[in-house]
Amino acid sequence: MISLRITFVVALVFVAAAEPAAKQPAAGVIGVVRAHDQAIVQSESAGIVDKILVKEGDVVEEGQTIVELRRQRQEIALEASRAGLLRAEAQAAETGALLDAARKERERANQAAEVLAKKDVDDARDAVGRLEASLRVQMADVARAQQEVKLREHELKQTRLVAPFGGTVTRILVHRGDALNPVETQVAELVDMTRLYVEVLLPRQEALRLSVGTPIAVRVESEWLGKAGSVTGHVSYVNPTVDAASRMVTVKIDVPNPSGAIRPGMVANVRR
């Protein structure tokens, strides 16, 4: 009996050792999918939300309006600045016409200086000088009025919050009637799902063997995505510095996403 038991145990060990190693998963490095372009849209100026023109999940183009703020005050200010510009330009034009006439009068006075009193000649010359000085001041007023119009146009433009790049609206963070604080209140989150990359940490020796453009097999949550998550990525960045504590190097791998199945935040397995 003892001999049979020993033989049976040896047979089991032999069979276990003979199991093919190919069933073991290939070694890989775990990374996280991120978007090259991801932003929180905010307002540069204070205002009240008037219209929300998109929904969560909408795909928008660069420059497309996402939210509109109340703009009556900015519209009134712009009209007032344009009226001020017209007034300044009219005053400058009137002074310019008077200056042309004064210059002609000075020319006649200079030509008839021998028969005219010296005071009349001097008065003609002084009139030109006064009008030239007045025109310079008025042209400066015109320039200031033009800048005022540009400022008011910019303020009116800021009441439209637009997408800084094309992408998907993932979150709307405000409601109609909400008051926005400049560069503080978060309005919406925008993510470009078409330009993704996987960020991984590799040992220094392995990272140094990579260069921009190197193809690498990437599997993104394959148990859920299946074949859609198995893609070939290309190295887009190798950090030139090494983390002193871990001796690891950050590497970014651009991955295609034609089906849109891959999402930022997913876990990826990078096959070296």
Side-chain angles (χ1 to χ4, degrees):
M1 283 296 290
I2 295 175
S3 174
L4 287 174
R5 285 181 181 176
I6 294 174
T7 303
F8 181 66
V9 171
V10 171
L12 285 177
V13 172
F14 177 77
V15 171
E19 286 292 329
K23 291 185 178 180
Q24 299 299 321
V29 176
I30 301 300
V32 178
V33 178
R34 304 188 189 280
H36 280 289
D37 294 322
Q38 181 171 353
I40 297 293
V41 178
Q42 295 175 299
S43 175
E44 295 182 16
S45 58
I48 304 297
V49 176
D50 187 37
K51 297 177 183 178
I52 300 175
L53 303 177
V54 297
K55 304 184 300 296
E56 292 178 339
D58 283 356
V59 177
V60 298
E61 298 178 353
E62 180 177 349
Q64 182 175 335
T65 302
I66 297 175
V67 170
E68 284 187 1
L69 308 181
R70 292 178 187 172
R71 50 193 292 158
Q72 291 84 354
R73 179 176 59 83
Q74 289 82 358
E75 289 173 340
I76 293 171
L78 177 57
E79 290 302 318
S81 65
R82 285 173 174 168
L85 176 59
L86 290 175
R87 183 170 56 252
E89 289 176 337
Q91 291 175 346
E94 181 180 0
T95 301
L98 293 174
L99 179 58
D100 289 340
R103 285 171 175 168
K104 292 177 181 178
E105 184 63 28
R106 183 186 61 181
E107 184 65 22
R108 286 194 293 268
N110 287 336
Q111 292 175 354
E114 295 181 357
V115 297
L116 291 176
K118 183 176 183 303
K119 181 178 182 304
D120 292 338
V121 177
D122 290 342
D123 286 347
R125 293 172 179 172
D126 291 343
V128 171
R130 288 193 300 272
L131 288 170
E132 286 177 340
S134 179
L135 183 60
R136 284 194 294 270
V137 172
Q138 290 173 349
M139 291 305 296
D141 291 339
V142 170
R144 281 195 295 270
Q146 290 173 337
Q147 293 302 313
E148 181 72 13
V149 169
K150 290 182 180 179
L151 175 61
R152 300 308 176 190
E153 288 176 340
H154 179 68
E155 290 177 348
L156 182 59
K157 184 179 179 181
Q158 285 183 322
T159 62
R160 294 180 181 271
L161 308 184
V162 302
F165 50 83
T168 301
V169 179
T170 56
R171 289 188 295 165
I172 300 292
L173 304 169
V174 294
H175 301 86
R176 290 186 61 190
D178 282 354
L180 305 186
N181 295 322
V183 199
E184 181 177 333
T185 306
Q186 297 184 349
V187 176
E189 182 183 50
L190 185 65
V191 180
D192 184 357
M193 299 292 188
T194 64
R195 299 183 62 247
L196 305 179
Y197 68 93
V198 175
E199 185 175 84
V200 296
L201 292 174
L202 293 180
R204 176 179 58 84
Q205 297 86 346
E206 294 188 25
L208 291 177
R209 291 199 293 267
L210 299 176
S211 60
V212 173
T214 301
I216 294 183
V218 179
R219 298 181 65 185
V220 181
E221 301 200 9
S222 55
E223 69 281 359
W224 179 48
L225 297 182
K227 292 183 178 180
S230 297
V231 296
T232 299
H234 293 83
V235 174
S236 60
Y237 174 71
V238 179
N239 195 322
T241 64
V242 179
D243 183 82
S246 65
R247 307 303 295 165
M248 305 290 275
V249 175
T250 300
V251 176
K252 296 180 180 180
I253 305 163
D254 285 348
V255 292
N257 190 26
S259 66
I262 301 175
R263 310 291 177 86
M266 287 184 168
V267 175
N269 188 291
V270 176
R271 306 284 178 170
R272 306 192 299 275

